[in-house]
């Protein structure tokens, strides 16, 4: 079991159980969309974020992103890190049918995938992880053709797939993730691969 400094918030109790088997930290769930009207839990999440930082780890479907965006607007963004699971299609064992979008949620991810998602988010695991000096900027995304051009959305989608990131990740969130996940050189290589795919 790996100790994580930050508290982690997930969508439901099955997500919480899956994560609790992998990491040692405070894990809270939003009770799905219940967080929208649960002012007490939201206040608790804010307090946890101030005390030790908070990691948001939701499913990569529409509902997960709705909850993530709500928390983004409700809690000081300087205190929150965002962990993203990849788009993996399938069905959790306990369910009869797949989710509406057919993607596995946090509960369906392997321990390795969950740990990698937390690492990519910059979680402090058994020691501090320093923020990146000289981060990748929006101007660099533009220069690489990943924003501001007619085909940028398709190119970003290819880069997200190559990095195992969810398709619904916004451009702004993608930049945050890239600064934890990859280097300028790696990003340039992935953007170049997107060029090659476009040319075919």
């Amino acid at each position: 079991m790996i100790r994580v400094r930050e508290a982690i918030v997930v969508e439901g109790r099955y997500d919480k159980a899956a994560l609790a088997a992998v990491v040692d930290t405070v894990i809270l769930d939003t009770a799905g969309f219940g967080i929208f009207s649960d002012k007490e839990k939201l206040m608790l999440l804010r307090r946890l974020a101030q005390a030790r930082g908070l990691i948001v780890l939701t499913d990569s479907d529409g509902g997960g992103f709705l909850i993530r965006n709500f928390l983004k607007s409700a809690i000081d963004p300087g205190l929150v890190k965002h962990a993203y699971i990849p788009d993996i299609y399938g069905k959790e064992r306990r369910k009869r049918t797949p989710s509406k979008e057919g993607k596995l949620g946090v509960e369906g991810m392997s321990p390795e995938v969950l740990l990698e998602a937390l690492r990519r988010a910059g979680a402090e695991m058994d020691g501090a992880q320093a923020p990146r000096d000289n981060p990748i900027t929006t101007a660099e995304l533009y220069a690489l053709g990943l924003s501001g051009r007619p085909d940028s959305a398709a190119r970003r989608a290819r880069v997200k797939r190559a990095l195992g990131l969810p398709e619904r990740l916004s451009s702004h969130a993608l930049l945050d993730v890239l600064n934890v996940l990859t280097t300028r050189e790696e990003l340039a290589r992935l953007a170049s691969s997107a060029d090659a795919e476009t040319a075919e």
Side-chain angles (χ1 to χ4, degrees):
M1 178 132 345
I2 293 180
R3 200 167 284 166
V4 174
R5 179 183 182 276
E6 299 89 349
I8 302 175
V9 60
V10 294
E11 287 182 54
R13 59 191 174 116
Y14 293 105
D15 300 332
K16 185 176 176 180
L19 199 56
V22 179
V23 295
D24 176 16
T25 191
V26 175
I27 305 170
L28 295 175
D29 72 81
T30 66
F33 297 135
I35 192 64
F36 297 158
S37 58
D38 191 339
K39 291 180 181 171
E40 289 182 356
K41 186 171 279 186
L42 188 57
M43 284 182 64
L44 174 59
L45 291 175
R46 286 181 181 136
R47 288 179 64 194
L48 283 170
Q50 288 176 338
R52 60 194 290 183
L54 185 70
I55 297 174
V56 178
L57 178 61
T58 60
D59 296 349
S60 59
D61 60 6
F65 273 82
L66 198 61
I67 293 166
R68 181 185 297 277
N69 289 331
F70 172 78
L71 293 174
K72 266 186 188 177
S73 66
I75 302 172
D76 179 350
L79 304 174
V80 179
K81 296 174 181 176
H82 290 272
Y84 298 93
I85 58 171
D87 288 332
I88 299 175
Y89 291 86
K91 177 185 76 67
E92 282 87 3
R93 282 187 206 142
R94 71 177 180 86
K95 296 180 180 175
R96 275 193 201 165
T97 58
S99 68
K100 187 176 178 183
E101 294 182 28
K103 297 175 184 175
L104 291 176
V106 169
E107 72 172 280
M109 296 292 130
S110 69
E112 295 78 21
V113 169
L114 292 174
L115 285 173
E116 182 62 17
L118 294 173
R119 281 191 193 97
R120 289 177 173 187
E124 293 182 30
M125 303 167 131
D126 294 332
Q129 194 162 352
R132 171 176 286 189
D133 291 331
N134 191 20
I136 298 165
T137 65
T138 52
E140 289 172 282
L141 293 187
Y142 178 80
L144 292 170
L146 296 172
S147 69
R149 301 192 188 165
D151 65 343
S152 292
R155 293 165 56 79
R156 280 194 311 275
R158 290 198 227 15
V159 169
K160 289 178 205 175
R161 274 196 303 275
L163 291 171
L165 297 172
E167 65 191 34
R168 289 180 179 271
L169 199 60
S170 69
S171 300
H172 181 72
L174 176 62
L175 185 61
D176 292 341
V177 171
L178 290 173
N179 274 308
V180 174
L181 172 64
T182 191
T183 62
R184 278 184 173 78
E185 295 75 21
E186 172 78 0
L187 181 58
R189 186 184 65 72
L190 291 171
S192 179
S193 296
D195 277 339
E197 283 184 46
T198 304
E200 288 174 0

